[in-house]
């Protein structure tokens, strides 16, 4: 029994499986003990299902425990390997807060329905006292096989945690942190002040519904209870909203930092996003979500926006800039995927593969070379010679195509590509034309009836850039007249917000026309690249103040923050701001360790590193400088 120092004593009751560690230990033991068993996956699935039923309170715990032990067929020799695995799967927020675990070791109890044999080595490595670990113990036969558990232990029974707590008779405030219904039962029995549903690793609806507070990390628990946390500012209070089915790697990266992350599969319309954006600090979108002025007016905490794609025309960048909201995109991450799609579609259209395949499915055998061509030797016209256009140029030339390009900006040609002086020049000489321009308003209907008229008869036409760049009715007429022999379109003026909405467009049903649902960059490789790249930029801004790569802010690449505090001051780009900042710092006798300034259009960005010892009143004065947009400190 734990000794009680005073009535004011606080006790922290922490679960083990899926709380202290990211996994259920019995599941991991099964992966080890069942190696070589032909039914391994089926048994593991059953073990997991039994665990979930018990954690949700849907079957008795004693029944679940015995069923799992019987299924495991484990041996004591498996335990060292299990301990090694679990040591590498301690929850990130517990790893971050070793100092708390050590400082409050006398007050922290691990109460788990797992087993001491593997729990004690894990938790004591992070500062927990072994005598404060309450768990089950295995029973072994003479050969070392695990055959059961000590049935007299309260934790082996239903309502075992409340029974143990009654025996402990803790005098003081009791806070329970766990992910299972058995953890909530302590509060339900009146033996704890509050129950915190821990959701860093798993979320169980029935558990969350009964929680006094949902804590996505140990950082959150420490913050709300005013306890010392490793995070220098409350990162756990930073809310991230990710829309449009962004790759789960992005969520993982934000959660590793202690952020609270919400994911939405589809896009949100303006009114929905204006409602959901409140209290959001980081917004991640793809191409369908429109970040408008109205949305931003409701964004009371928004620090930055990440476009998990190339284009940013869906974001009101000017309005973001005016509010000190930094925007980033992924200009390179999906380039290869778009290029490969374009090459594949050219070949398919030149060979009329779709039409021949459709005939085959109808039982028609049409073995004919009429209208089928190689791409080798054909003239490829690239409208837009940016990241995608240049890489497509190189790949197409390697396949034997002659490459021409047109871009408003003077670009150095790669390989043997030739620059056309005008768009009309390119349209008149090329056999295949593909669009790779940005989505600025000036490019609306860049290709219309007049442009199709200038093209060669029988041209192959691709649009993998932005839907509003092409006049769709004009393209329909060009296909029907034979001017365009084949077309591939991946982007449309209006696109469904979710996969459940019907796609309606005049191009449906036309011969030798490939329609794809905006998947140019939708490969596993591209989406994972983007999900690594964009969060990296957003986290660099949040944690260090770096804006390098931003599409709407002065670009500054900052050194790491070492033994100093960093002040970030965003302001209107008017004269005298830097002088005012430095004057205030001088008045408070604050030493400047480093200072960085850059401006862009109407916004200025000043970063000042100062000594750690300073008068906190200086922050109020800096915030009150005229024309200040945003101010924050990094510690």
């Amino acid at each position: 029994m734990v000794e009680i120092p005073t009535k004011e004593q606080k006790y922290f009751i922490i679960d083990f499986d899926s709380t202290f560690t990211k996994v259920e230990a019995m599941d991991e033991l099964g992966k080890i003990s069942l190696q070589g068993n032909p039914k391994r996956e089926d048994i593991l699935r059953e073990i997991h299902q039994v665990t979930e039923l018990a954690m949700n309170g849907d079957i008795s715990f004693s029944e679940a425990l015995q069923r799992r032990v019987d299924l495991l067929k484990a041996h004591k020799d498996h335990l060292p390997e299990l301990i090694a695995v679990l040591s590498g799967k301690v929850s990130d927020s517990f790893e971050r807060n070793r100092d708390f675990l050590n400082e409050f070791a006398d007050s922290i109890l691990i109460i788990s329905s797992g087993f001491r044999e593997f729990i004690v080595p894990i938790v004591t490595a992070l500062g927990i006292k072994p005598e404060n670990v309450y768990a089950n113990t295995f029973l072994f036969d003479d050969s070392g096989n695990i055959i059961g558990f000590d049935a007299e232990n309260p934790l082996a029974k239903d309502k075992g945690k409340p029974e143990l707590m009654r025996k402990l008779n803790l005098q003081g405030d009791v806070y329970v942190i766990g992910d299972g219904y058995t953890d909530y039962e302590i509060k339900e029995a009146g033996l704890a002040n509050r129950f915190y549903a821990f959701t860093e690793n798993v979320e169980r609806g029935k558990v969350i519904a009964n929680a006094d507070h949902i804590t996505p990390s140990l950082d959150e628990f420490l913050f709300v209870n005013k306890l010392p946390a490793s995070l220098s500012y409350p990162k756990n209070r930073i809310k991230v909203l990710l829309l449009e089915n962004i790759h789960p790697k992005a969520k993982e990266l934000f959660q590793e930092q202690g952020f609270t992350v919400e994911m939405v599969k589809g896009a949100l319309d303006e009114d929905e996003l204006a409602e959901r954006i409140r209290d959001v600090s980081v917004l991640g979108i793809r191409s369908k979500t429109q970040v408008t002025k109205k949305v931003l007016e409701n964004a009371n905490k928004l620090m930055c926006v990440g476009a998990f794609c190339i284009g940013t025309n869906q974001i009101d960048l000017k309005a973001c800039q005016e509010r000190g909201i930094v925007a980033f995109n992924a200009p390179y991450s999906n380039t290869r995927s778009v290029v490969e799609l374009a090459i594949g579609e050219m070949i398919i259209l030149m060979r009329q593969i779709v039409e021949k395949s459709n005939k085959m499915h109808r039982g028609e055998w049409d073995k004919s070379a009429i209208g089928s061509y190689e791409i080798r030797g054909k003239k490829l016209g690239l409208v837009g010679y940016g990241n995608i256009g240049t890489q497509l140029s190189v790949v197409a030339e390697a396949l034997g195509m002659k490459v021409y390009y047109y871009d408003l900006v003077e670009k150095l040609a790669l390989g043997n590509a030739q620059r056309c002086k005008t768009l009309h020049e390119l349209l008149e000489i090329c056999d295949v034309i593909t669009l790779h321009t940005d989505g600025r308003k000036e490019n609306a209907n860049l290709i219309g009836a007049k442009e199709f008229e200038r093209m060669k008869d029988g041209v192959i036409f691709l649009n993998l850039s932005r839907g509003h760049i092409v006049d769709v009715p004009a393209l329909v007429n060009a296909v029907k007249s034979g001017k365009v022999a084949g077309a591939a379109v991946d982007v449309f003026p209006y696109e469904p917000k979710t996969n459940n909405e019907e796609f309606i467009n005049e191009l449906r049903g036309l011969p030798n026309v490939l329609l794809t649902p905006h998947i140019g960059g939708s490969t596993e490789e591209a989406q994972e690249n983007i999900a690594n790249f964009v969060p990296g930029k957003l986290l660099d801004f949040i944690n260090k103040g770096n804006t390098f790569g931003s599409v709407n802010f002065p670009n500054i690449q900052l050194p790491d923050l070492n033994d100093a505090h960093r002040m970030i001051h965003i302001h209107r780009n008017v004269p005298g701001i830097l002088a005012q900042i430095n004057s205030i710092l001088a008045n408070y006798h604050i030493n400047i360790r480093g200072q960085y300034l850059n401006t862009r259009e109407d916004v200025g960005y000043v970063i000042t590193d100062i000594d750690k010892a300073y008068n906190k009143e200086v922050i109020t004065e800096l915030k009150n400088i005229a024309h200040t947009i945003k101010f924050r400190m990094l510690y």
Side-chain angles (χ1 to χ4, degrees), residues 25-26 28-35 47 68-79 82 118 138-141 143-148:
M26 298 289 269
E28 298 302 309
L29 180 57
K31 293 176 184 178
I32 296 168
S33 65
L34 294 168
Q35 287 180 4
I47 291 172
R68 284 183 289 174
V69 168
D70 292 341
L71 288 165
L72 283 170
K73 303 187 185 305
H75 189 276
K76 66 179 180 181
D77 290 345
H78 293 134
L79 296 178
L82 173 64
F118 54 76
F138 285 123
L139 294 180
F140 303 92
D141 64 15
S143 300
N145 297 305
I146 297 174
I147 57 173

Side-chain angles (χ1 to χ4, degrees), residues 133 141 251 271 304 423 508 528 563 569 586 589:
V133 177
D141 64 15
K251 180 180 181 180
D271 289 337
C304 46
L423 174 61
R508 284 172 51 176
E528 187 166 356
D563 197 31
H569 194 278
H589 305 288

